[in-house]
Amino acid sequence: MNDVEHDPFQEQKLQKLQQIICLIPVVGWIPAIWTVSRHQGSRQELSASRASIRLTLVWAIAYSLLWFASLQASETLTLRLLYFNGLLTSGYVLVSLGFMFRVWQRKN
């Protein structure tokens, strides 16, 4: 008999993997929306999906506003806005990685 068939933790591993996939920066919102729209999955999966969607939405709006503002600003202000945009994106990636690490450690 195969050990995978009798592994009682296999489903937990799959749920963790699904949560981590939903938290991938920039592209994780796609499987997250799929998970939320189906209304299927554990409470933790739905919570991670909603957090991913919110985080990505806030980042995308802030990124777009800063980028469009930099197009209309003077050269000095443009550099500052684009620098802040880079910091914002770095923060977004670090927060996403932090969430992924918490899921990997089985924390809420």
Side-chain angles (χ1 to χ4, degrees):
M1 291 193 185
N2 195 349
D3 290 333
V4 175
E5 293 175 7
H6 298 293
D7 186 3
F9 301 106
Q10 184 65 28
E11 189 170 322
Q12 289 179 357
K13 291 178 184 178
L14 182 60
Q15 287 176 355
K16 268 187 3 181
L17 179 63
Q18 288 172 339
Q19 290 175 28
I20 288 172
I21 288 172
C22 287
L23 291 168
I24 294 173
V26 182
V27 296
W29 64 272
I30 298 168
I33 286 178
W34 179 261
T35 300
V36 170
S37 67
R38 289 184 308 149
H39 297 293
Q40 294 178 350
S42 68
R43 191 169 29 135
Q44 290 88 4
E45 286 179 74
L46 291 172
S47 177
S49 296
R50 287 186 190 110
S52 174
I53 293 167
R54 285 185 198 122
L55 186 62
T56 303
L57 188 61
V58 167
W59 168 77
I61 290 170
Y63 183 90
S64 298
L65 288 174
L66 286 170
W67 186 70
F68 284 125
S70 72
L71 293 176
Q72 303 298 320
S74 66
E75 289 182 20
T76 306
L77 188 57
T78 297
L79 180 63
R80 290 177 183 169
L81 289 171
L82 291 176
Y83 179 74
F84 186 65
N85 211 350
L87 290 176
L88 178 74
T89 301
S90 297
Y92 164 64
V93 169
L94 288 175
V95 168
S96 295
L97 290 174
F99 282 159
M100 292 167 74
F101 186 70
R102 288 177 60 101
V103 167
W104 181 58
Q105 286 185 330
R106 296 185 183 172
K107 293 182 181 177
N108 293 331

